[in-house]
Amino acid sequence: MPNGYCKLHFTSEPTHIRNMVGTLMDFVDGLSPETQARNDLKLIFSELMYNAVVHGNKGDPTKYVEVLINITDSRIAVTIEDEGVGYDYQNAIKYALSENALLDEGGRGIVIVQALTDKLSFNETGNIIRFEKRFK
C-alpha cells in the first residue's frame, strides 16, 4: 500500500459532519487499508469529528477543526485539533466506563474510539486527540 499524508481544515458546522467524515474516508479509501480497518475508521472519524465540532467548538462556524493523517504500509496516525477550551478527558473516560453512564445517551464515543484504536492520547488541555490504528 502506498504511503500518504494530508492536512485538512473544516469549519465547525454540525450539519457538515457527515461530509467531513466522507472527505476523510475518501483519502483513506484511496490508500486502501483492509476492509475492517476502514469500517473502524469511519466510526472513529464520526465520533471524533462530532466531538470536535459539537463539544469542542460548540458548533461555532467561525472555528475550525484541523485533521492530520499519516498513512504508512501498516498503520494510520491521525491528529484532530479543535479550537475549543478542551475538557477533562480522564474523568470523561472514567465516567463513561461507570455503571452510572449505562443509561446516559452520551459519553460513550470516546470509549468506543479507545476500543477501536491501538494507541490513543490527548494533549493536556483536551482539545487535541491523537490515535493510531494498525492494518496488519
Side-chain angles (χ1 to χ4, degrees):
M1 176 170 57
N3 294 339
Y5 174 83
C6 76
K7 180 178 182 178
L8 301 164
H9 291 274
F10 298 103
T11 58
S12 289
E13 284 283 343
T15 58
H16 296 167
I17 293 172
R18 183 176 293 190
N19 291 337
M20 294 174 196
V21 172
T23 299
L24 295 169
M25 290 308 297
D26 285 346
F27 178 75
V28 170
D29 285 344
L31 297 174
S32 301
E34 53 97 2
T35 304
Q36 185 58 51
R38 282 197 316 267
N39 293 338
D40 290 351
L41 285 169
K42 186 172 185 179
L43 179 55
I44 293 165
F45 284 143
S46 295
E47 292 292 338
L48 296 181
M49 293 306 289
Y50 180 87
N51 285 352
V53 169
V54 174
H55 297 298
N57 289 343
K58 308 290 186 214
D60 182 346
T62 66
K63 293 185 177 181
Y64 290 87
V65 176
E66 180 178 273
V67 181
L68 304 171
I69 301 175
N70 187 11
I71 298 178
T72 65
D73 290 338
S74 61
R75 71 164 179 81
I76 181 171
V78 178
T79 301
I80 299 174
E81 179 176 2
D82 62 58
E83 294 185 67
V85 297
Y87 76 113
D88 185 349
Y89 59 89
Q90 292 172 330
N91 278 335
I93 291 171
K94 200 179 299 181
Y95 176 75
L97 294 171
S98 73
E99 285 188 31
N100 295 334
L102 291 176
L103 299 177
D104 282 352
E105 288 187 29
R108 290 185 218 91
I110 204 66
V111 175
I112 292 168
V113 169
Q114 189 175 41
L116 294 176
T117 58
D118 295 301
K119 188 175 184 182
L120 183 68
S121 62
F122 296 82
N123 68 335
E124 188 174 314
T125 305
N127 71 324
I128 299 174
I129 188 167
R130 294 177 184 88
F131 74 86
E132 289 186 17
K133 181 153 186 72
R134 299 201 184 292
F135 302 135
K136 299 175 183 180

